[in-house]
Amino acid sequence: MFAVIYRWRLRPGMERQFTEGWHRVTVAIHARCGSYGSRLHRADDGTWVAYARWPDEESRERCAVPDPQGIAMMVEAIAERLPEIRMELVDDLLAEPGQLSGATPGP
């Protein structure tokens, strides 16, 4: 499994446009390119962070722009694009509440 962390600083007042564009692009990528989806977060330092998973790096590289309008919405809202972080999955215990089996509850 392959994953990428994306990070951005947005133009003030453009957050809604960015999130709508991100949503459109992510849905299209999932439907047309075989990604495993993504999660978008706003970090406490003001950056925006998305985590996306793919079956492998080649699947991501083959994916063309599936929603040009969504990409344009995002690009217009981005003040700074920070370097992406590419990762190979080693272990996975991330699950929605109630879905993780075999884990011991914390203190």
Side-chain angles (χ1 to χ4, degrees), residues 63-105:
C63 185
V65 179
D67 185 335
Q69 184 178 357
I71 293 287
M73 292 169 70
M74 291 176 65
V75 168
E76 184 179 16
I78 296 170
E80 179 184 7
R81 184 180 183 129
L82 302 165
E84 65 183 41
I85 301 168
R86 302 160 74 91
M87 305 173 295
E88 177 185 333
L89 183 65
V90 176
D91 196 2
D92 186 359
L93 295 176
L94 184 63
E96 295 301 320
Q99 291 182 341
L100 186 61
S101 63
T104 305

Side-chain angles (χ1 to χ4, degrees), residues 46-67:
T47 60
W48 289 71
V49 179
Y51 171 83
R53 285 182 36 188
W54 296 84
D56 50 53
E57 188 172 1
E58 294 76 25
S59 297
R60 179 183 178 255
E61 296 302 323
R62 283 191 307 269
C63 185
V65 179
D67 185 335

